[in-house]
Every structure is written in structure tokens, then in C-alpha cells.
């Protein structure tokens, strides 16, 4: 059905006149008359009938008048640009898929920022198990936060901060008894972090270039598990430099000590990704803005 007929019907019923309806529609009386003929055929009712020099609506037209006006009002409201976002009144739950390494530094600061402006906004942090899945596309995740490199072609992304990869061990680990060079680093027993049991990565490649090889004694599926294990053993784990200088990171909270890895390793790029369906959503833009400011402010030198 041609929904433009509703606009024509509304114009005809407002003034009960083909001539005035033509003026409302910005068209000719002949074109408005043709619209009336089409409407009569579609509705199965004359709608407007001649009464002397005027036209008067039929009972069916009177029934339709208010309904048609209401439909057009709803349509106009639907197609208008978003109203100004009232952040304080916002009630919404956002989901973020984030690396464990970021949670301790980011979750508290981000939550505090959000609740200061919008007390009824909640955040659900989801695990890295949602990586390499269509979670963003399906709307299961609002924002993916971390190292990005497996995104769908249409996904929007933004790099936020660059952080260093660090080693971590218990504070009284023998490794801290002297300068930590590549050889001493390789001689330590290491904890691998992999959900799939992977034992080798960029560190092993960099060591191999120097003719060195490390022993990955244990592989655990999470960074938290790795740090808890390192806290009570002589094993060395990996972490990233704290992204929020205002809060104690997970490494410090667990009583671990970090050290620069004595290898030429690429920096870790932390970014956020979201699906383009949320591009124009004012609330989603507001949320992404707080993620951006939380990370970029806290990571500033």
C-alpha cells in the first residue's frame, strides 16, 4: 500500500476541500482529486460528498480522521532526530567484553564515572570467551575492549592507548637479585596464558633470535590465574603496565613486582570496537566517550 495516501487523506479531512488539500500537499487540485478517487476505491467509501457548494465527510471519514492524524504524528516522531540525551535519567545496562588485565584498572574507574552522571546505568563485563564470535554483530556485546585484531569487516574500532608488556613475579623472587637480562629471563620458569593451551608466542620468537629458549612450565587459561600462581611460586608471568595510575592494579594488589622484559617486543595496542548499529545512539556514544576518557586520561604520562 502507498502510505503517502495517508498524508493525502489527512489533508483532505482537515478542511473537507480538494482545493485546500492541494495547497497543504503542495500539488494541484487535479492531483488532489485523483488522490481522493484512489482513496475512495481503497477504503470503499466516498469519504467526502458534495453538499451544495461544500464537501462534507461521511461517517466513515469522521471515524478515520483522528486515527490517520495519530498515525502521522507517530510517524513524524519516529523519524525525527534523537532528542537531547538526558543522562541523569538514563536507565540502561551496557555490556563490555574485556581482557582480564584491563578489568582491575578500568572497571572501577569507569563505573565510578558512569554512576556519577547516571546512577541507573549498569555495566556487565564479559569474558574474553566472546572473542572471535559474532557477539558484537548480534548485539550481545556493546563494546569490545582490549587488543583488537579479529573484527568483522563492518565493525567500528578506535585505538585508545599503547601499553608495555611486563614480566611479573613475587617480590622476593631470585630473579630480582641481579640485573634481568634476556638470558636470566629465559632461564626462569614461566607461566603461559592461553585458553587453548598454546605454549609459544612473540616472546619465544624474540628469544629465539638471540639463541635462547624459555621453559613454559605451566599454562593456565586466565591472567588472573597466572598472577595468583606466580604469587606463591618461583614462576614468572606476564602482564601489562597499569592503565590507571590513580588505582592500584591487580599486580600490586596481589603483592607481585613487575619488571621490563629485556627483549625487543611490539607495544600492546588497546582499543575499543562496536557495531555500526550503535553509531548514532546518543547513549552509546556517551558510554564510549567515558571508556575513551577513562583509558586515555589514566594512561597519560
Amino acid at each position: 500500500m502507498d502510505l503517502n495516501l495517508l498524508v493525502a487523506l489527512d489533508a483532505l479531512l482537515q478542511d473537507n476541500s480538494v482545493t485546500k488539500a492541494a495547497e497543504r500537499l503542495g500539488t494541484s487540485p487535479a492531483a488532489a482529486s485523483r488522490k481522493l478517487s484512489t482513496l475512495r476505491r481503497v477504503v470503499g467509501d466516498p469519504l467526502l460528498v458534495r453538499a451544495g457548494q461544500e464537501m462534507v465527510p461521511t461517517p466513515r471519514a469522521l471515524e478515520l480522521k483522528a486515527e490517520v492524524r495519530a498515525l502521522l504524528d507517530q510517524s513524524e516522531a519516529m523519524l525525527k532526530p534523537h532528542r537531547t540525551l538526558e543522562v541523569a535519567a538514563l536507565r540502561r545496562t551496557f555490556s563490555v567484553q574485556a581482557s582480564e588485565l584491563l578489568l582491575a584498572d578500568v572497571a572501577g574507574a569507569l563505573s565510578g564515572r558512569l554512576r556519577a552522571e547516571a546512577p541507573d546505568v549498569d555495566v556487565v563485563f564479559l569474558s574474553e570467551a566472546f572473542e572471535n564470535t559474532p557477539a558484537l554483530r548480534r548485539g550481545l556485546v556493546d563494546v569490545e575492549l582490549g587488543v583488537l585484531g579479529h573484527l568483522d569487516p563492518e565493525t567500528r574500532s578506535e585505538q585508545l592507548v599503547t601499553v608495555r608488556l611486563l614480566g611479573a613475579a613475587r617480590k622476593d623472587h631470585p630473579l630480582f637479585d641481579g640485573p634481568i637480562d634476556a638470558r636470566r629471563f629465559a632461564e626462569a620458569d614461566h607461566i603461559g596464558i592461553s585458553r587453548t593451551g598454546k605454549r609459544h608466542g612473540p616472546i619465544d620468537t624474540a628469544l629465539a633470535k638471540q639463541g635462547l629458549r624459555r621453559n613454559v612450565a605451566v599454562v593456565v587459561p586466565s591472567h588472573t590465574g597466572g598472577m595468583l600462581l606466580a604469587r606463591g611460586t618461583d614462576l614468572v608471568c606476564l602482564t601489562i603496565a597499569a592503565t590507571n595510575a590513580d588505582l592500584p592494579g591487580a599486580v600490586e594488589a596481589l603483592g607481585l613486582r613487575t619488571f621490563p622484559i629485556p627483549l625487543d617486543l611490539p607495544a600492546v595496542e588497546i582499543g575499543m570496537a562496536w557495531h555500526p548499529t550503535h553509531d548514532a545512539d546518543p547513549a552509546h556514544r556517551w558510554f564510549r566517550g567515558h571508556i575513551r576518557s577513562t583509558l586515555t586520561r589514566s594512561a597519560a604520562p
Side-chain angles (χ1 to χ4, degrees), residues 16 222 276:
N16 299 328
S222 73

Side-chain angles (χ1 to χ4, degrees), residues 82 92 134-143 154-156 273-285 288:
H82 282 292
R92 188 156 168 180
L136 283 174
R137 180 181 289 174
R138 293 180 179 176
L140 301 175
V141 172
D142 285 297
V143 173
E154 76 273 16
T155 302
R156 304 283 194 267
W274 65 95
H275 197 268
T277 50
H278 298 303
D279 261 350
D281 179 0
H284 205 279
R285 287 203 305 265
R288 297 197 307 268

Side-chain angles (χ1 to χ4, degrees), residues 283-296:
H284 205 279
R285 287 203 305 265
W286 169 81
F287 180 64
R288 297 197 307 268
H290 272 296
I291 291 178
R292 181 186 304 108
S293 60
T294 298
L295 275 171
T296 56

Side-chain angles (χ1 to χ4, degrees), residues 36-252:
L36 178 57
S37 297
T38 301
L39 284 163
R40 284 168 169 166
R41 184 172 65 255
V42 170
V43 178
D45 185 270
L47 298 174
L48 294 176
V49 295
R50 182 68 60 183
Q53 298 298 316
E54 300 178 344
M55 300 190 79
V56 296
T58 65
R60 177 61 174 150
L62 292 174
E63 291 176 0
L64 292 173
K65 184 175 181 179
E67 294 182 21
V68 170
R69 184 66 259 161
L71 281 172
L72 291 178
D73 287 342
Q74 291 175 16
S75 300
E76 290 172 3
M78 184 185 305
L79 296 177
K80 282 182 179 178
H82 282 292
R83 293 176 295 178
T84 302
L85 178 65
E86 296 180 11
V87 174
L90 185 62
R91 303 178 69 92
R92 188 156 168 180
T93 298
F94 292 98
S95 57
V96 179
Q97 182 259 298
S99 163
E100 276 189 332
L101 287 178
L102 290 173
L103 287 183
D105 292 340
V106 174
L110 177 61
S111 178
R113 281 170 168 261
L114 297 177
R115 297 188 73 80
E117 293 185 14
D120 292 318
V121 166
D122 300 319
V123 183
V124 175
F125 285 94
L126 303 172
S127 76
E128 294 171 283
F130 283 85
E131 285 185 359
N132 297 315
T133 72
L136 283 174
R137 180 181 289 174
R138 293 180 179 176
L140 301 175
V141 172
D142 285 297
V143 173
E144 180 176 337
L145 186 62
V147 178
L148 309 175
H150 48 268
L151 303 175
D152 293 322
E154 76 273 16
T155 302
R156 304 283 194 267
S157 64
E158 178 182 344
Q159 293 298 328
L160 299 176
V161 294
T162 301
V163 295
R164 292 174 296 122
L165 192 64
L166 301 174
R170 59 182 175 84
K171 291 184 177 180
D172 56 350
H173 194 288
L175 194 60
F176 297 118
D177 292 342
I180 303 175
D181 56 16
R183 180 187 58 77
R184 294 190 69 231
F185 175 72
E187 288 174 350
D189 288 330
H190 289 253
I191 300 169
I193 311 294
S194 173
R195 295 193 309 273
T196 60
K198 184 179 178 181
R199 297 172 63 90
H200 300 287
I203 284 183
D204 302 280
T205 302
L207 285 171
K209 290 179 180 179
Q210 299 189 36
L212 298 172
R213 180 178 179 181
R214 66 172 178 160
N215 175 42
V216 179
V218 181
V219 177
V220 296
S222 73
H223 290 281
T224 301
M227 288 188 288
L228 287 171
L229 182 58
R231 182 174 64 171
T233 67
D234 279 341
L235 298 173
V236 172
C237 68
L238 300 177
T239 185
I240 58 173
T243 57
N244 194 333
D246 296 336
L247 292 172
V251 175
E252 290 77 11

